[in-house]
Amino acid sequence: MNGDSNAPVRDVVIVGTGVAGLSAAVYAARADLEPLVLEGPEPGGQLTLTTDVENFLGFPEGVGGMELIQRGKEQASRFGAEFVHGTVADATLDDRPFELHLSNGETRRTRALIVATGASARWVGAEGEADLMGYGVSTCATCDGAFHRGDDVLVIGGGDSAMEEALFLTKFADSVTVVHRRDELRASEVMAKRARGHDGVSFRWNSELLEIHGSKDEGVTGVTLISHPDGYPRQKLEASPTGDGPADRAAKTRETGGIEREFLDVGGIFYGVGHVPNTDFLEGTAVELADTGHIETQAGMTTETTLDGVFAAGDVMDPDYRQAITSAGTGSMAALDAEDWLEQPAASGSIAASEAIADD
Ligand code: NAP
């Protein structure tokens, strides 16, 4: 994409308005860096899809995810952060200032870049999911749960998200069944206990979603599950040289002894199977990505990436902790790291000049 050399150059552009981006915005704005904050396709990030946040320090009664985000945005705006809508389609990071090319055709230029693009809900890979996503298949119980009053619904996954979705759905659905691919939950003790102890939630262990039935007109009408008495059917299926696509799995299911298929009559399916980092626009740049797609940061306690002047915060760089409070922490670190970096001579020069400085 061609750059717009007339676009003004900012000191800092922050990409993302989840808790990490907002925390970076508060710190950068208070440091008089007048950050520009790009609000992408999922404004506010994952917290806006959650109900109560009970473990964010300072809120003994819990706080709504949406409220936390709205308050963070107000706080950053108060100190001078500027928010604009814009999704980064790709970035030119091989010279300074960096150029961000937005999907609406605009270009934004910046000396320092803070990437806080978070992660988006992972899909399971079941047959039929692409057609029925939004028509009975959902990645957000708080958004779509109310459409399933009186339905029997499934929640896929065994982590905190799945438990939270299941508990929330008990308000609307006739029955909520958690389908987990193993027989042990990944969820935290407190969430697992809450879900296991709730009368409205039942569990299907060692089971995977193979196929979703229905149509855009009717919505979801049922599913086919596969299960294996010894647990985690995919492990067995992945051993197949035929691959791991739904069709391959279906074929292998027929061949593999011990695996059972079962049709269930359900009206809604909620995915809670984790997230994938939003780093597509960094592919092919000097910002190194891990195999998982997460941004690699330098060793030690820093948000510096492998490219000078680019910093990363929140779930986009954190495959391990992924908490609202840790995202807020890395957001503030990214702003402080960017502020330090902007004071160095390399920040105003070209990439070649800063490489020469580094070699000295
Ligand atoms: P997660 O902890 O990574 O759990 C994902 C779950 O989905 C795992 O049980 C995993 O199974 C299963 N899974 C992954 N891919 C699958 C597939 N293709 N088919 C079927 N199952 C699949 O993700 P998360 O639950 O979204 O949580 C992410 C982080 O946010 C965690 O640190 C969590 O503590 C935090 N969080 C906290 C709260 C809260 O405290 N209220 C709420 C939500 C999230 P395996 O277990 O077999 O790997």
Side-chain angles (χ1 to χ4, degrees):
M1 230 181 257
N2 290 326
D4 172 1
S5 52
N6 295 320
V9 180
R10 310 289 294 228
D11 275 334
V12 186
V13 169
I14 298 165
V15 191
T17 55
V19 72
L22 292 177
S23 178
V26 169
Y27 272 70
R30 286 193 80 239
D32 277 343
L33 295 175
E34 297 174 352
L36 176 73
V37 190
L38 295 179
E39 204 158 24
E42 297 174 46
Q46 291 172 50
L47 274 194
T48 60
L49 307 179
T50 197
T51 46
D52 283 345
V53 182
E54 293 181 337
N55 49 10
F56 202 91
L57 190 71
F59 295 91
E61 309 301 329
V63 57
M66 185 65 98
E67 185 187 348
L68 195 64
I69 290 298
Q70 272 164 355
R71 281 168 162 262
K73 194 170 170 186
E74 275 167 36
Q75 194 176 358
S77 302
R78 183 184 144 216
F79 293 116
E82 183 190 348
F83 287 82
V84 297
H85 289 284
T87 300
V88 182
D90 73 290
T92 307
L93 305 180
D94 49 9
D95 209 350
R96 300 207 165 94
F98 299 134
E99 288 188 352
L100 304 174
H101 310 292
L102 310 190
S103 50
N104 64 6
E106 288 175 17
T107 295
R108 301 288 175 163
R109 300 199 300 158
T110 185
R111 292 189 183 86
L113 172 64
I114 296 177
V115 183
T117 44
S120 297
R122 176 182 285 130
W123 291 15
V124 167
E127 212 164 309
E129 77 182 2
D131 287 341
L132 293 169
M133 187 58 73
Y135 296 86
V137 184
S138 168
T139 58
C140 175
T142 46
C143 318
D144 301 325
F147 299 125
H148 293 278
R149 238 172 254 280
D151 279 349
D152 296 315
V153 302
L154 301 184
V155 173
I156 316 295
D160 279 338
S161 297
M163 298 310 107
E164 195 173 62
E165 303 241 307
L167 288 164
F168 182 78
L169 287 164
T170 57
K171 294 184 193 173
F172 309 102
D174 250 15
S175 76
V176 179
T177 306
V178 174
V179 175
H180 184 34
R181 63 187 181 181
R182 295 186 292 141
D183 61 1
E184 197 185 321
L185 292 175
R186 179 178 295 279
S188 58
E189 208 47 49
V190 60
M191 294 298 287
K193 207 166 160 190
R194 226 175 263 175
R196 279 174 176 276
H198 196 293
D199 284 347
V201 180
S202 58
F203 290 83
R204 298 283 299 235
W205 305 107
N206 300 325
S207 301
E208 275 194 291
L209 182 62
L210 182 71
E211 190 173 351
I212 304 169
H213 309 281
S215 67
K216 286 194 165 67
D217 288 338
E218 293 172 295
V220 168
T221 54
V223 295
T224 304
L225 296 183
I226 48 174
S227 56
H228 192 283
D230 300 334
Y232 197 11
R234 191 178 296 238
Q235 267 175 1
K236 204 162 182 115
L237 299 172
E238 265 173 358
S240 158
T242 56
D244 190 35
D248 294 332
R249 277 187 278 144
K252 197 67 190 164
T253 301
R254 285 190 287 275
E255 293 162 20
T256 314
I259 290 182
E260 288 165 12
R261 293 162 66 101
E262 187 182 351
F263 177 84
L264 288 187
D265 196 353
V266 295
I269 301 163
F270 289 83
Y271 285 178
V273 293
H275 292 82
V276 281
N278 295 316
T279 48
D280 283 359
F281 73 99
L282 291 172
E283 269 166 29
T285 71
V287 177
E288 216 169 284
L289 304 179
D291 290 345
T292 54
H294 292 89
I295 297 176
E296 298 271 23
T297 48
Q298 304 282 6
M301 200 162 169
T302 177
T303 62
E304 289 166 21
T305 68
T306 48
L307 180 59
D308 254 6
V310 179
F311 306 86
D315 281 9
V316 76
M317 49 77 87
D318 169 18
D320 300 317
Y321 300 103
R322 300 174 296 172
Q323 303 298 304
I325 195 108
T326 50
S327 286
T330 52
S332 65
M333 285 165 60
L336 293 169
D337 288 344
E339 187 187 355
D340 267 2
W341 183 80
L342 282 164
E343 283 165 12
Q344 295 171 21
S348 342
S350 65
I351 298 262
S354 70
E355 279 167 359
I357 291 169
D359 289 344
D360 283 346

